[in-house]
Amino acid sequence: MNFDEKIKEMYEVNTRNVLDELKTKQMQEKIHNFAKMHGLHPKYVEQLILDDYLYRINFAKDPKKQTAHEKIVAEHIKSVLGETGVFKKLPSGGKSAKYVTSNGVRHENLNGTKSIDFEIHTKGLVIFATCKYTKGNGGAQDNQYNDVKKFIKVCAEMVSSRKHKANERFIAIVDGSYYTKEKLSELTSLALGTVDIISASDFKSYLDSLS
């Protein structure tokens, strides 16, 4: 799956949407703040947005701040499922969020994990997924990796102690250059056969393997 190409497409869509959003309260506030910062008149900035595509780009929403990669994976999963299953993007917080815990999937965060990203119903199974796209190296990337490891460790503990439901499955969807063969091997070792480590592109073959 070419994430960079998908992100580029989302940038293009968001840039086109700037014209439709020009008179909204949020966009007008952005224009006025920009104009004030640079000593320009708001109407002059508006006209530049209308006339200059490159200028317009500065006011487009950044897909990377809209959990773009997660949305790309979600759309891919839904297209693979088609009419054969139900896909749910779970909330990241609040009463409806779900978490893996040593006592099963719960609405309470008992083990300090990040909330589950996706819930998929298909073939009589309920699949819970964490989803990460990580590029490069650094502290932030390591934190994402640690989130995945924590998810896997808690799942392994839950499944090995039979605290999960018989029809529940758990997957970690990881993509990006950060996930080298060595890191994928480490994740697989932590999983103890209780969590499937896949890339988004592998989802169809994973689905086909389910009985």
Side-chain angles (χ1 to χ4, degrees):
M1 181 178 292
N2 190 331
F3 281 92
D4 289 338
E5 188 62 33
K6 295 284 186 181
I7 292 292
K8 180 183 175 183
E9 291 173 5
M10 294 175 78
Y11 266 118
E12 290 172 353
V13 169
N14 287 354
T15 301
R16 290 197 298 271
N17 287 343
V18 169
L19 297 178
D20 296 328
E21 299 166 356
L22 197 59
K23 296 300 181 180
T24 64
K25 182 179 179 181
Q26 184 179 15
M27 185 60 74
Q28 284 296 310
E29 286 179 355
K30 194 171 183 179
I31 289 170
H32 278 72
N33 290 338
F34 182 90
K36 184 177 180 180
M37 183 183 299
H38 296 283
L40 302 171
H41 194 282
K43 290 296 181 184
Y44 175 68
V45 175
E46 266 194 46
Q47 195 59 49
L48 285 173
I49 291 171
L50 288 169
D51 296 340
D52 190 333
Y53 180 83
L54 292 178
Y55 203 87
R56 195 180 308 150
I57 289 173
N58 294 305
F59 291 85
K61 293 175 182 175
D62 185 349
K64 294 178 183 176
K65 294 180 180 179
Q66 299 175 290
T67 59
H69 298 101
E70 198 172 279
K71 289 180 180 179
I72 291 168
V73 175
E75 288 304 314
H76 175 68
I77 291 174
K78 286 189 281 187
S79 69
V80 171
L81 284 173
E83 300 298 322
T84 67
V86 176
F87 173 89
K88 297 179 182 178
K89 168 67 181 80
L90 298 177
S92 59
K95 293 181 179 180
S96 297
K98 292 184 178 182
Y99 304 86
V100 293
T101 78
S102 53
N103 288 314
V105 176
R106 298 284 187 269
H107 287 292
E108 301 83 23
N109 190 359
L110 304 178
N111 290 80
T113 60
K114 294 289 186 180
S115 61
I116 299 168
D117 293 311
F118 305 144
E119 180 178 330
I120 304 158
H121 295 246
T122 186
K123 297 185 177 183
L125 302 172
V126 182
I127 304 166
F128 294 104
T130 187
C131 177
K132 296 290 185 186
Y133 179 87
T134 313
K135 289 180 69 174
N137 293 284
Q141 289 87 342
D142 291 341
N143 287 339
Q144 288 193 344
Y145 184 54
N146 289 332
D147 288 342
V148 178
K149 289 200 292 185
K150 186 67 180 276
F151 174 88
I152 291 171
K153 287 178 180 178
V154 175
C155 283
E157 182 181 345
M158 179 209 316
V159 174
S160 62
S161 60
R162 300 183 184 279
K163 296 294 186 180
H164 69 304
K165 295 179 181 178
N167 70 330
E168 290 178 341
R169 300 290 183 272
F170 303 91
I171 59 175
I173 305 171
V174 293
D175 288 282
S177 58
Y178 181 88
Y179 297 101
T180 61
K181 288 183 179 180
E182 290 76 17
K183 285 188 168 61
L184 291 174
S185 178
E186 182 183 1
L187 294 179
T188 301
S189 297
L190 288 172
L192 300 172
T194 61
V195 180
D196 287 294
I197 317 300
I198 66 172
S199 69
S201 299
D202 293 331
F203 182 74
K204 186 179 187 306
S205 57
Y206 166 76
L207 198 62
D208 291 340
S209 71
L210 297 175
S211 55

